[in-house]
Amino acid sequence: MADAVVFPGGRSGPTSPLTMRAGEVAEQRGARVHRHVWSGKPPMPWGPQVEQWVCGEATAVLDAVGGRPLLIGKSLGSAAAAVAAERSLPSVWLTPLLTEPWVVAALGRASVPFLLVGGTADRWWDGTLARRLSPHVLEVQDADHDLRLPGSDEGLSRAVAAVEEFLDSIGWPG
């Protein structure tokens, strides 16, 4: 059986609509989904030490799960991109922190495909950079950091469709 591990954002848990629905896509493909809950608040001030903290938690979870799971990370969870690159794991990064150089550097080291999903009204999103990093990108016009659009669930729906298409394109689970 395939596994998927969901790493949430810093303000929302693994059952926020975006991470919940992305995990359900993996579950519908027969995967066992592991939804991580952070052990506490990330270190402050914000910076590369956050990456070390996230990667420490991600490494412990991935060691316990074993194998080659799909990683799904939202916002803060995108700091686990370093672990995904190190272990050559396919990944889905929902509203990743593309303004943080350490996240961008980790994504640049990836040797397997990954999906980037973000909105143009998200201050941590950079669509031009996203398209340079990966051919698998969904950019939702006017969507915020939770991929919300005023009065609409379209951002969430489009993200779910993009995750399905991405997993089809890489043949996951193989």
Side-chain angles (χ1 to χ4, degrees), residues 3 62-63 65-69 87 89:
D3 289 285
L62 294 172
D63 287 348
V65 169
R68 295 195 67 246
R87 296 183 181 210
L89 300 175

Side-chain angles (χ1 to χ4, degrees), residues 25-140:
V25 171
E27 201 167 44
Q28 290 166 357
R29 292 169 175 261
R32 185 176 30 225
V33 178
H34 309 267
R35 297 179 186 284
H36 183 65
V37 176
W38 301 120
S39 65
K41 293 189 183 258
M44 291 297 159
W46 191 259
Q49 66 274 17
V50 172
E51 179 184 43
Q52 291 175 313
W53 181 78
V54 168
C55 288
E57 293 211 10
T59 296
V61 170
L62 294 172
D63 287 348
V65 169
R68 295 195 67 246
L70 170 71
L71 298 191
I72 300 170
K74 159 96 174 79
S75 186
L76 175 64
S78 68
V83 176
E86 178 183 297
R87 296 183 181 210
S88 299
L89 300 175
S91 50
V92 172
W93 305 115
L94 306 166
T95 65
L97 303 175
L98 295 183
T99 58
E100 298 298 335
W102 34 278
V103 171
V104 174
L107 292 169
R109 292 191 303 273
S111 61
V112 296
F114 58 90
L115 171 65
L116 298 172
V117 177
T120 61
D122 179 356
R123 67 180 172 152
W124 290 289
W125 177 255
D126 180 334
T128 302
L129 176 60
R131 288 182 287 280
R132 276 199 311 260
L133 290 166
S134 177
H136 307 282
V137 174
L138 170 65
E139 182 174 74
V140 181

